Amino acid sequence: MLKHKLMVLGVTALVALLAGCATAPATPQGAAVELATQRPANCKFLGEVTGSHGNVFSGDFITDEKLIQGARNDLRNKAAAMGANVVQVQNTINSKHPYSAGIVKSTVVGAAFNCPGR
C-alpha cells in the first residue's frame, strides 16, 4: 500500500513538473495585445503589468527562448485582462540559479495602455 502511494506521488510530481515546462500560451485576447518599445502616443495609461514564466524546478527543462516567450504571453494575457491593447515593454529580467545550467525564470515588466483605433 505504501509503495503504491509513493509511486502515485512520484508520477503526480513528474506530471506537475512536465506541465510546468510547457510555454504559457497567449489567450486570444492576449495575442491581440501589441508589444512596443516606445510609449504609445494618444493612449490611456492603465497601469503596470508583469509577466513571468519558469521557476527553479522547471527552468532547466525549458529553453531560454520558451521562457522569454512564456513571460511575454503572460504579460499580454494580464494586459488584456486590464483592457489594454498595447504594452510598452520596460524591462526583461532573466533569473539564474547557482545550481542550474542557465536561465530558470524570465520576467517581463511593462506599462499597459488602451489605444483607440489600434
Side-chain angles (χ1 to χ4, degrees):
M1 184 73 167
L2 178 61
K3 193 175 187 180
H4 176 68
K5 287 182 180 182
L6 289 175
M7 186 171 29
V8 170
L9 181 63
V11 170
T12 303
L14 180 61
V15 169
L17 177 65
L18 293 176
C21 295
T23 301
T27 63
Q29 299 83 2
V33 174
E34 175 187 343
L35 299 182
T37 56
Q38 301 294 318
R39 183 182 179 108
N42 304 318
C43 299
K44 179 182 178 188
F45 175 71
L46 300 176
E48 291 186 2
V49 63
T50 303
S52 63
H53 188 64
N55 60 54
V56 71
F57 300 108
S58 66
D60 279 337
F61 303 100
I62 307 172
T63 64
D64 294 349
E65 292 81 11
K66 290 194 181 285
L67 283 170
I68 293 168
Q69 187 60 51
R72 291 166 60 107
N73 288 345
D74 188 40
L75 179 82
R76 283 184 166 109
N77 293 343
K78 289 176 178 176
M82 296 170 64
N85 58 358
V86 178
V87 173
Q88 176 194 5
V89 175
Q90 298 172 326
N91 199 3
T92 300
I93 303 153
N94 294 314
S95 303
K96 293 186 175 189
H97 188 274
Y99 300 113
S100 294
I103 297 170
V104 295
K105 182 178 181 181
S106 286
T107 303
V108 182
V109 180
F113 294 91
N114 183 285
C115 302
R118 282 180 109 159

